[in-house]
Amino acid sequence: MQSDTIAAIATPPGTGGVAVIRISGPDAEAVLKRVFPRDSFAHGQMVYGSVRREGELLDMVMAVMFYAPKSYTGENTAELHCHGSAVGVRQVLDYVLECGARPAGPGEFTRRAFLNGKLDLSQAEAVCDFISASSQAGAKASLGQLAGKLKERVLAYQDQLTDALAQVEAVVEYPEEDLEEETAEKLLPVLKEMREGLFALAGTYRAGRIAREGLRVAIAGKPNVGKSSLLNALAGMDRAIVADVPGTTRDTIEQSINIGGIAIYLTDTAGIRNAKDKIEAQGVKRSENAINESKLAIFMLDGSGEITEEDHLAMRALKKSEADLLVVLNKLDACERLSEEDVKREFGMSPLRISAKTGAGIDALKQRLLEYAEQDKTAGEILITNERHVFALRQAAGQIGEAIRAMEEGIDMDCVTIDLNAAWASLGEVTGKTVSEEIIDRIFTKFCLGK
């Protein structure tokens, strides 16, 4: 399909200041000259002029030509920078298609960049992640990947595997030299360090996923402990209704905040207790669902009162979920009747003391949330944000582990060769060297049109 020329609108739909139409393929220059008549173009130089169809003015535009291989796709690529009129840019695109291009499919420009060696597969996926990033942390992680940091790390591991394979294959080829023990002694420390490095890199997936998708946090506890006040304090605004009447919050309330560049999605839940009516029961059920969907739950206790059966009921509901727990002792501004030691003795966890009313301890709570989100960042600046990548890295580490076991147990070096080759191929799935066409198709269909 790379023998044809494609075109699409590369900017978001709707009205804006500028809309860009991208054209890529062997006939990109010919199509551009039909739409925007001109004898020649200088590489990368913007030219102002008009687009006319049979004498009718469609738009006044800026046109630019990028010649292969110095373009995003690695092919001849042209762009028309139009006024951001949804109607106008559609008319220009229709004319481009009439002049010899066909509509591009989702992600087809970036797919061509990958197939032409301008990007590896991890960088191509980072393009999509960067476009959809909802936080600074997500954007930074995807930009690092787009810059080739993951690619470089993977290629370095593959180079180490290639060196190890050369030494192992020498043992297999020249058995009379009796080099097995010497080679194993030399390679085992290298392979063990490589395996640990791959596991550490894969271990950043938790932090990477939070950077990309954000952290979901449920605020839970019995009624009237200050959950809505805490939501308002963290959000810096009156998002939830606050009253002294237990059961004021009947439904979940959501609010997103940004801490240290990470998007955190807070959910204020209805107080967990034995419901007195159907509406309250539905609110409690929604609270339990919100907790189950969260990565972290803040369990709030009222520091001005005593621990009650309703507190235990709320804790039991929290323990049924897979959410990690952070205990907060609220109402530091009121008369203190509940100590940190009381909470630790009752629930086995030390609380963070705050006042949602005055704001005392809120900064410390925000820092705790940030530390939770960023834990497991153990591989320098690289964060794994893609489940496909973490699977390939763990698989490669496991295959290297099998090679290590074979060496330590004195198993034939042919088996070591098989394991090391398998690890090399697993790493190739990250960069796209050994990935199947089916997976490539699946990746690029997730892209938007025009990218």
Side-chain angles (χ1 to χ4, degrees):
M1 298 294 286
Q2 282 192 277
S3 62
D4 59 0
T5 299
I6 57 175
I9 299 170
T11 41
T15 302
V18 177
V20 177
I21 295 172
R22 179 177 287 161
I23 309 164
S24 185
D27 295 329
E29 184 178 24
V31 171
L32 179 61
K33 285 182 176 179
R34 292 187 194 111
V35 174
F36 189 93
R38 188 177 175 83
D39 292 337
S40 63
F41 291 89
H43 177 85
Q45 182 176 319
M46 301 284 283
V47 182
Y48 177 71
S50 61
V51 175
R52 296 176 184 273
R53 179 200 279 143
E54 297 178 357
E56 179 188 355
L57 178 65
L58 299 183
D59 199 358
M60 302 300 296
V61 305
M62 299 290 288
V64 60
M65 187 71 208
F66 301 100
Y67 293 99
K70 297 181 179 180
S71 70
Y72 178 71
T73 63
E75 307 173 314
N76 282 352
T77 302
E79 289 181 356
L80 290 165
H81 293 237
C82 311
H83 290 93
S85 159
V87 175
V89 73
R90 185 68 236 185
Q91 287 182 319
V92 175
L93 177 61
D94 288 343
Y95 187 34
V96 168
L97 299 178
E98 288 175 21
C99 290
R102 70 163 173 84
E108 194 167 358
F109 292 100
T110 304
R111 181 179 183 134
R112 290 186 176 206
F114 163 66
L115 294 174
N116 290 324
K118 302 295 288 186
L119 304 169
D120 83 320
L121 197 55
S122 70
Q123 290 172 298
E125 290 168 296
V127 172
C128 191
D129 288 344
F130 182 63
I131 290 171
S132 60
S134 59
S135 68
Q136 293 171 328
K140 183 178 179 180
S142 57
L143 272 179
Q145 193 168 305
L146 182 57
K149 291 179 180 178
L150 177 57
K151 170 188 173 182
E152 290 169 6
R153 183 72 64 88
V154 168
L155 290 178
Y157 281 131
Q158 284 186 311
D159 284 345
Q160 286 184 282
L161 285 171
T162 299
D163 291 342
L165 276 164
Q167 296 178 58
V168 172
E169 286 170 354
V171 173
V172 174
E173 288 294 323
Y174 303 102
E176 68 278 3
E177 298 291 335
D178 197 23
L179 297 171
E180 284 199 22
E181 188 174 332
E182 180 185 336
T183 301
E185 187 176 339
K186 185 190 296 184
L187 287 181
L188 278 172
V190 175
L191 293 177
K192 287 179 180 178
E193 184 179 354
M194 198 184 312
R195 179 186 60 183
E196 294 309 310
L198 286 168
F199 275 132
L201 185 58
T204 67
Y205 176 60
R206 179 192 168 282
R209 186 175 180 181
I210 290 173
R212 188 185 71 181
E213 300 175 2
L215 174 64
R216 292 203 165 273
V217 179
I219 305 173
K222 71 181 181 182
N224 211 34
V225 293
K227 298 184 295 297
S228 297
S229 296
L230 177 58
L231 177 75
N232 291 340
L234 288 170
M237 58 186 289
D238 290 336
R239 176 67 178 84
I241 297 173
V242 176
D244 294 331
V245 180
T248 299
T249 302
R250 290 293 189 104
D251 200 355
T252 56
I253 299 172
E254 296 188 358
Q255 177 65 40
S256 64
I257 62 173
N258 189 297
I259 301 178
I262 293 176
I264 296 181
Y265 301 99
L266 300 169
T267 303
D268 174 22
T269 64
I272 297 175
R273 64 176 175 178
N274 293 318
K276 297 177 181 178
D277 55 56
K278 290 182 179 180
I279 295 176
E280 188 175 14
Q282 190 174 2
V284 171
K285 182 63 178 176
R286 290 188 179 185
S287 296
E288 292 172 348
N289 290 340
I291 293 166
N292 289 331
E293 292 170 1
S294 298
K295 184 68 179 173
L296 177 68
I298 297 175
F299 175 48
M300 286 195 73
L301 292 164
D302 181 356
S304 67
E306 297 178 349
I307 295 174
T308 66
E309 178 54 33
E310 284 187 336
D311 290 314
H312 283 284
L313 179 66
M315 177 58 90
R316 286 195 292 272
L318 289 168
K319 285 185 173 180
K320 287 179 183 177
S321 74
E322 296 183 1
D324 294 326
L325 293 181
L326 173 61
V327 180
V328 168
L329 188 57
N330 189 31
K331 302 189 180 179
L332 184 61
D333 55 290
C335 179
E336 297 179 39
R337 298 177 62 185
L338 197 58
S339 69
E340 296 175 39
E341 291 73 23
D342 293 333
V343 175
K344 188 172 183 180
R345 184 172 53 253
E346 198 75 21
F347 297 110
M349 301 175 68
S350 296
L352 182 67
R353 300 176 74 241
I354 68 161
S355 170
K357 183 177 180 179
T358 66
I362 295 299
D363 286 342
L365 175 57
K366 287 181 177 180
Q367 182 60 33
R368 188 76 66 87
L369 292 174
L370 182 61
E371 289 170 359
Y372 175 86
E374 292 188 330
Q375 65 180 309
D376 302 326
K377 289 176 68 172
T378 56
E381 296 181 2
I382 302 175
L383 279 181
I384 301 300
T385 60
N386 189 298
E387 191 172 4
R388 191 183 71 80
H389 298 167
V390 76
F391 177 81
L393 293 169
R394 286 175 178 163
Q395 185 168 256
Q399 288 156 340
I400 291 172
E402 286 299 306
I404 292 169
R405 184 181 66 82
M407 281 187 181
E408 289 177 337
E409 295 179 4
I411 296 173
D412 193 280
M413 281 291 194
D414 279 330
C415 295
V416 176
T417 302
I418 292 170
D419 290 326
L420 294 182
N421 272 311
W424 196 98
S426 293
L427 290 175
E429 292 183 13
V430 176
T431 60
K433 291 280 187 182
T434 56
V435 78
S436 70
E437 190 72 22
E438 180 184 355
I439 291 175
I440 291 173
D441 288 340
R442 194 181 309 160
I443 288 169
F444 286 105
T445 53
K446 295 177 182 177
F447 279 57
C448 57
L449 285 169
K451 197 59 189 171

